Amino acid sequence: MASIVAPSVIPALSERPIKNTVVLFDVDETLTPARRAVAPEMLHLLSALRHKVAIGYVGGSDFAKQQEQLGTPAIPVTTLFDFCFAENGLVAYRLGQPLASHSFIKWIGEDNYKRLVRFLLHYVADLDLPIKRGTFVEFRNGMINVSPIGRNASNQERADFNAYDDEHQVRAKFIEAVKKEFPDLGLTYSIGGMISFDVFPHGWNKTYCLQHIENEKTLPGGVEYTTIHFFGDKTSPGGNDYELYDDPRTIGHSVKGPADTMAQLKELFGL
C-alpha cells in the first residue's frame, strides 16, 4: 500500500472525455474483499478510469471503515474518488467536501429506537449459533447494522458464518421477525456483506445517493449525469445492492468479486 500515490492531475468533472457519465461502486466484494483493504491494482485501475469518467463509491458502512479499506494512513479516500457515499449516501463527500447529511435516530425518535434495539438484542440473545462474538447492533448516522454473530468476528469466522447463513437463513429469518414486530415503523431491511443486515427508513437504501448525483448539475462546475453505471455484488432481491442495481436511472453491473469488477471495467471502458 505504501507505493500507492493519489493521482496528481485529474480533469475537472466537466472535462472528463466520456461526457455526462459517472461510475459508482459498492465496496465489499466489489472494490475490496469483504472488510479488507483495496488492492493496489484496483486503485491504479480506478485512477485510470477517473481520467475518463467521474467515479464514486456507495457503501453501507460508516465513513471511517471506508477510509480504512479504500484509503491509506497518508491518503484520504476523498482524494481517490469524486464522490464518496458512506451509509448509502446519508454521509456524502463531493470532491473532498462534505454534503448535507441526515440522522436515522432523529427520524425514528428515541422511544422507537429503544424499542427496536431492545427487540434486536433479545433476539440475538436467544439465537443458537455455533459461535458469537461482539457488537451485535452498530448505530450509524443513517441506519443501524445488525449482526447475529457480532461484528468483532475474525475474517475466517465471517466466512464460516456466511456459509452457515446460506444454509440456515439466519439473517432472513431475523428480518422477518423484526418486520412482524414493527410493521408500522416504515423500515427497510437489507442483507449485505457476510455477517449482517442493515435497517433504515424506506427510501434510505443505496438509491439515496442518486439525489446527490441528480443535484450535481446545480453546483458550480457540476455536470448533468445522464449515464450512471453501478457495480455491485449483492444485486439479487434482498441484497443491499439490489435497489440501486435495478433502478431505472442506472445501468447495473453484477460482479463476483474485485477481480471480476476489474475485468468488466477493462472491457467496458478499454482500460
Side-chain angles (χ1 to χ4, degrees), residues 2-25:
S3 63
I4 301 170
V5 294
S8 56
V9 180
I10 297 290
L13 292 175
S14 60
E15 296 175 3
R16 307 289 164 92
I18 303 177
K19 299 299 183 183
N20 306 102
T21 300
V22 59
V23 183
L24 302 175
F25 300 92

Side-chain angles (χ1 to χ4, degrees), residues 38-105:
V38 67
E41 295 79 13
M42 177 67 80
L43 286 183
H44 287 305
L45 189 69
L46 291 174
S47 178
L49 178 65
R50 195 179 179 195
H51 281 77
K52 292 189 172 189
V53 297
I55 68 171
Y57 71 77
V58 190
S61 296
D62 60 37
F63 181 76
K65 291 188 179 68
Q66 291 155 4
Q67 168 61 37
E68 178 186 325
Q69 287 181 258
L70 296 172
T72 74
I75 303 174
V77 67
T78 52
T79 67
L80 301 174
F81 295 83
D82 301 300
F83 302 100
C84 299
F85 298 129
E87 301 184 42
N88 295 348
L90 273 295
V91 175
Y93 292 83
R94 173 192 184 265
L95 300 176
Q97 299 301 311
L99 300 174
S101 64
H102 293 278
S103 168
F104 173 79
I105 204 163

